[in-house]
Amino acid sequence: MRPPPLWLLSLLLGGLGAAAPPPAPLIPYSSQDPDSRLAAPQHLELLLYNDEQILSWAPSPPSNDTRPVVYQVEYRYTGSWTAFKGVNCTDITVTRCDFTGGGRLKGFPGLYSVLLRVRARQGERTSDWVTSTRFQRYCNVTVGPPKNISVTPGKGSLTLHFSPPFDVAREAGFEYRVRYWEKAGAQQVRGPFKKNSIVLDNLKPFRVYCLQTEAQLIVREKNICRPGLSLSNVSCHETAADASTSLQVILIPVGTFSLLLVLTGACFFLFLKYQSRVKYWFQAPPNIPEQIREYLKDPDQPILEALDKDSSPKDDAWDSVLIISSPEEEQDDLLQTL
């Protein structure tokens, strides 16, 4: 038997004088059971540094449920009717998603506006989606310094070779600047340069220069300019000699040696020409005898007696006498003897 319609029951109850109770409101299941809805992740942060594109967030607040909490990340390009799409960060337990780490999506294009959203899940319980702010990679990226920097010293110059901070599409490019200074000197800047090879010329030879490089992202059609927010590490290098300095390095010793030869020859010629005078100039001064020197010290001393005493022959002094006779004298002596 089918139940009577509601209007008939209302009419019957109204006729009996009893007011019909209002229909119960439709309350969602999540409001009826507070534990049925999981808390959403918090504090979404997007890191865009060179090639890196990493989304991170704070975990959901803990609950009495001991089951693990996993997260799901999706993205969508704004300005289109496409729905959110999943990435390689589905049912992950970590609180970060790296979009440059491989998978189906290897980084977002430079000029596309992108939205990201994250939600948590614990068993059958899910949280609300948390959506990040819209971003464009080229507009929001932090540009680092050039990579693989090498410096080659030259004749009064330094040549730099390096790689761009990251790869870009055709609509974008980089400009580079070099900050350099001589030790204990003022800093100078050269640039912008568009090539990956820079020559710093007109430098002093045999001097040590320190330098840093920076890169700037330029998007020509959109008038976008992202300056580099960090410089490369300081490196110092000594310049080599230029052509004039090399000639000076050769001529100075040769000239010095030639001058010494000329001076030596001139001195030898003068010595030969004025030899007697040179001997006269360099001869030793006459010496005063010791007796006279003592007399000058004490005039009262009998100098004559002292000289006579010194000049008298000593008792033990002997003179050697050699007698030489000829053969004729020996014959005369022999005849006289006979």
Side-chain angles (χ1 to χ4, degrees):
M1 181 177 181
R2 296 181 59 186
L6 294 177
W7 63 270
L8 181 58
L9 291 176
S10 300
L11 181 60
L12 293 174
L13 293 175
L16 297 175
L26 298 176
I27 302 176
Y29 177 74
S30 60
S31 300
Q32 294 176 356
D33 187 2
D35 293 335
S36 63
R37 203 68 176 175
L38 190 63
Q42 303 173 357
H43 310 300
L44 270 65
E45 293 183 2
L46 181 63
L47 172 65
L48 297 175
Y49 180 80
N50 288 350
D51 281 332
E52 298 181 13
Q53 303 177 53
I54 301 175
L55 177 68
S56 61
W57 58 89
S60 301
S63 62
N64 296 329
D65 197 337
T66 59
R67 290 177 297 179
V69 178
V70 295
Y71 301 94
Q72 181 181 359
V73 181
E74 294 181 348
Y75 76 97
R76 182 173 71 87
Y77 294 113
T78 62
S80 63
W81 295 103
T82 58
F84 278 94
K85 299 179 181 180
V87 293
N88 58 323
C89 296
T90 302
D91 295 338
I92 58 175
T93 57
V94 295
T95 58
R96 66 194 302 270
C97 179
D98 189 351
F99 301 101
T100 58
R104 292 178 297 174
L105 181 66
K106 297 182 179 180
F108 297 105
L111 295 177
Y112 282 77
S113 297
V114 184
L115 282 176
L116 300 173
R117 68 178 185 177
V118 184
R119 75 173 179 180
R121 184 169 59 84
Q122 189 178 37
E124 296 79 13
R125 302 167 58 203
T126 58
S127 70
D128 294 331
W129 288 100
V130 181
T131 306
S132 67
T133 56
R134 183 173 61 90
F135 72 91
Q136 288 183 346
R137 181 190 173 195
Y138 285 168
C139 295
N140 302 100
V141 66
T142 299
V143 181
K147 299 184 297 184
N148 306 321
I149 301 175
S150 63
V151 181
T152 304
K155 298 179 179 180
S157 64
L158 294 174
T159 303
L160 287 75
H161 301 278
F162 46 82
S163 302
F166 56 93
D167 296 331
V168 294
R170 294 182 178 179
E171 68 269 12
F174 289 99
E175 291 182 350
Y176 306 96
R177 287 178 173 82
V178 180
R179 302 175 186 268
Y180 68 99
W181 63 94
E182 189 179 351
K183 280 195 172 181
Q187 188 179 97
Q188 303 181 56
V189 180
R190 289 195 187 181
F193 303 97
K194 295 184 178 180
K195 296 183 179 180
N196 298 352
S197 179
I198 299 174
V199 178
L200 300 177
D201 52 3
N202 297 327
L203 302 180
K204 299 178 182 178
F206 295 120
R207 298 295 179 89
V208 177
Y209 287 88
C210 299
L211 50 89
Q212 288 180 294
T213 57
E214 63 178 342
Q216 189 176 34
L217 177 64
I218 304 295
V219 182
R220 304 173 184 83
E221 297 180 357
K222 300 293 183 179
N223 295 325
I224 298 175
C225 176
R226 292 294 298 172
L229 299 181
S230 58
L231 298 171
S232 63
N233 296 329
V234 177
S235 61
C236 300
H237 308 271
E238 184 178 5
T239 58
D242 55 12
S244 59
T245 306
S246 301
L247 184 60
Q248 292 177 5
V249 171
I250 297 175
L251 291 179
I252 288 176
V254 172
T256 304
F257 182 72
S258 301
L259 180 61
L260 291 176
L261 288 179
V262 171
L263 292 177
T264 304
C267 293
F268 183 72
F269 174 77
L270 292 175
F271 176 77
L272 294 178
K273 185 176 182 180
Y274 302 100
Q275 184 176 3
S276 58
R277 293 187 181 182
V278 172
K279 290 182 178 180
Y280 175 76
W281 291 339
F282 289 97
Q283 68 180 357
N287 294 327
I288 301 175
E290 183 67 24
Q291 295 82 356
I292 298 177
R293 190 180 301 173
E294 293 180 357
Y295 173 76
L296 293 176
K297 294 181 180 178
D298 187 7
D300 297 335
Q301 182 179 359
I303 184 62
L304 296 177
E305 296 177 0
L307 292 175
D308 187 28
K309 181 180 179 180
D310 293 339
S311 61
S312 62
K314 298 181 180 180
D315 296 338
D316 56 351
W318 293 87
D319 292 334
S320 298
V321 179
L322 179 64
I323 300 175
I324 303 175
S325 60
S326 61
E328 291 79 4
E329 291 178 352
E330 291 181 357
Q331 288 180 358
D332 293 340
D333 291 339
L334 180 59
L335 292 174
Q336 290 177 4
T337 304
L338 296 176

